[in-house]
Structure formats: C-alpha cells, structure tokens
C-alpha cells in the first residue's frame, strides 16, 4: 500500500514496467475534510477499466465534514471508482487547552462526519473501514479505550470494518462486528446461487436441508 497527501506525484514515481499496475498494489490518498477532496480526482485519473491495482482513501484524521457522494464532479468518475475507504478520528495526548506543553495534540472529530461517510459509502457500494473514534470522541463518548479503537464500545451503526473482495459491492463484503468477532457474510441473491457459502443464515438453512436428506 502507498498512501500520500500528494497523489499528483504518484505517476512520476511508478516503475518502468508498471503498465496496468500490479494486483497486489494499493494506491491511496489522505483526505481530511472537504477542502482536500480534490485529491481523489487526481488519484482516480490513474485508474482505467484495465487497471489491476486498487485505489483507496484514508479519511483519517477526520477533522472536518466530507461530502464526496453528492458532488456531481466526484460522483461521476472518482468516488465510484474507489475500492476502499478508511475513516477515523485523530489520536493524541491532549489539546492546548488541556495541556499547553503536550507534544502530541489531537483535533476535534464529529460523530456526524463518520455517520455521513458511512451513508455515502453504502449508497455507492464502497466498503468502509471505521478504524477508530479518535481521542476527542473517546472522551466525549466516555469510552474506556483511550483513542476509541475498541469496536465493542461503539454504537452498532459504526461497527463497520469492511474489506474489499473480488466482487465489488457493499452487500458482498466481509466486515467485523464486536458482537460476533468473526467475519459476517452479507446476504445477496448473487451469492445465494451457492447457498452453503453465501451468508450465515443461508449456511444454516443449507445444513438443515442436508440433515433432512
């Protein structure tokens, strides 16, 4: 994985035999708020229908509102090309108000920002990985984990830690929930052509059917 705040430099530093890229390479850019979402356009311009690599966005640290799904320019040819999006609040030891001498400061993160990006990803079937709430929200929500990285402490809606699979789509992704602590397979009609591997419910029904035979 390559993650940068300067995606415009990527093209000039790719190897000579890059061609359509490599299957095991991920190119990503950091987007902290709405003011830096233009980086996604630059990143998506590297990708074509023949590209073998994946592209992703790290919305971390989330320090402001981010609207990518409802921007006409981005939606048409950039946001929908994303293979993965990571979101999380900033970690730190304190703020200037709390401790003027603290070395590692953190900035505010709003739970609404995380909720909104999850909704955008769901609308466009982009797997989203909520990494952590960050130190600010950990204090606001009175979480035990200092940086808010214990999934089991979050409201269920935010427990989305999805990974891209071969077939892109929200309904086909693996994600983890604190309640199960194991991959949960999401039901889809396409996957149900093979009912013993689609999702937990289909697997249960399949096994019951096999037992009846």
């Amino acid at each position: 994985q390559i993650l940068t705040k300067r995606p415009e430099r990527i093209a000039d530093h790719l190897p000579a035999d890059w061609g359509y890229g490599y299957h095991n390479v991920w190119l990503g850019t950091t987007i902290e708020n709405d003011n830096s979402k233009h980086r996604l356009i630059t990143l998506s311009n590297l990708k074509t229908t023949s590209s073998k690599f994946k592209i992703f966005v790290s919305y971390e640290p989330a320090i402001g509102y981010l609207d990518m799904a409802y921007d006409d320019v981005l939606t048409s040819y950039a946001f929908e090309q994303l293979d993965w999006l990571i979101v999380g609040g900033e970690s730190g030891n304190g703020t200037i108000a709390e401790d003027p001498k603290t070395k590692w400061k953190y900035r505010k993160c709003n739970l609404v920002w995380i909720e909104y990006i999850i909704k955008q990803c769901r609308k466009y079937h982009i797997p989203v990985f909520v990494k952590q709430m960050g130190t600010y929200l950990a204090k606001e929500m009175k979480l035990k984990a200092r940086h808010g990285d214990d999934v089991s402490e979050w409201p269920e809606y935010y427990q989305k830690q999805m990974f891209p699979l071969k077939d892109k789509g929200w309904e086909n992704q693996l994600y983890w929930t604190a309640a199960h602590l194991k991959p949960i397979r999401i039901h889809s009609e396409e996957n149900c052509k093979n009912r013993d591997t689609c999702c937990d419910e289909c697997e249960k029904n399949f096994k019951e059917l096999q037992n009846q035979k």
Side-chain angles (χ1 to χ4, degrees):
Q1 288 187 349
I2 298 174
L3 179 62
T4 177
K5 292 183 180 180
R6 298 175 178 81
E8 66 276 5
R9 300 188 61 193
I10 293 178
D12 293 335
H13 293 81
L14 295 173
D17 62 348
W18 176 252
Y20 293 115
Y22 314 137
H23 290 290
N24 62 335
V25 171
W26 295 64
L27 301 179
T29 189
T30 298
I31 298 178
E32 309 97 328
N33 54 33
D34 226 39
N35 295 329
S36 54
K37 66 183 179 183
H38 62 276
R39 297 171 186 162
L40 178 56
I41 297 178
T42 304
L43 181 66
S44 66
N45 284 339
L46 298 173
K47 192 175 181 182
T48 68
T49 54
S50 301
S51 295
K52 299 176 182 178
F53 61 92
K54 288 181 169 60
I55 62 173
F56 70 101
V57 159
S58 176
Y59 179 25
E60 185 188 21
I63 58 173
Y65 175 82
L66 179 58
D67 182 2
M68 294 200 291
Y70 301 97
D71 182 304
D72 291 338
V73 176
L74 284 176
T75 300
S76 61
Y77 67 94
F79 188 64
E80 291 179 290
Q81 289 192 54
L82 268 186
D83 295 292
W84 200 26
L85 186 140
I86 305 165
V87 57
E90 190 168 44
S91 301
N93 292 332
T95 63
I96 295 178
E98 293 172 336
D99 182 1
K101 296 182 180 180
T102 188
K103 184 177 181 180
W104 306 110
K105 302 177 180 65
Y106 62 85
R107 288 164 286 186
K108 178 180 179 179
C109 182
N110 195 316
L111 204 57
V112 173
W113 303 340
I114 298 176
E115 178 180 349
Y116 188 48
I117 201 66
I118 291 174
K119 288 181 178 179
Q120 293 176 69
C121 288
R122 182 160 195 164
K123 178 178 175 65
Y124 287 93
H125 306 286
I126 296 168
V128 58
F129 188 98
V130 183
K131 183 178 175 182
Q132 63 179 34
M133 294 290 110
T135 310
Y136 180 87
L137 283 176
K139 292 187 176 183
E140 287 283 303
M141 299 166 68
K142 295 180 170 49
L143 305 179
K144 293 179 181 179
R146 182 181 178 189
H147 302 309
D149 53 0
D150 184 347
V151 183
S152 65
E153 292 191 274
W154 307 347
E156 185 175 355
Y157 180 82
Y158 303 94
Q159 295 177 8
K160 302 290 187 295
Q161 294 193 324
M162 308 174 77
F163 298 89
L165 297 181
K166 183 177 180 181
D167 298 321
K168 184 178 179 181
W170 179 282
E171 69 282 0
N172 293 326
Q173 306 308 317
L174 292 177
Y175 71 95
W176 296 85
T177 67
H180 296 86
L181 297 177
K182 67 175 184 177
I184 303 300
R185 287 166 292 178
I186 309 303
H187 172 84
S188 73
E189 293 300 325
E190 180 65 25
N191 285 351
C192 273
K193 291 178 181 179
N194 188 357
R195 291 184 177 272
D196 62 329
T197 60
C198 169
C199 61
D200 286 3
E201 186 62 29
C202 286
E203 182 175 4
K204 176 182 176 182
N205 294 338
F206 178 82
K207 288 180 178 178
E208 289 178 353
L209 182 62
Q210 293 298 99
N211 291 333
Q212 290 175 8
K213 292 180 180 180

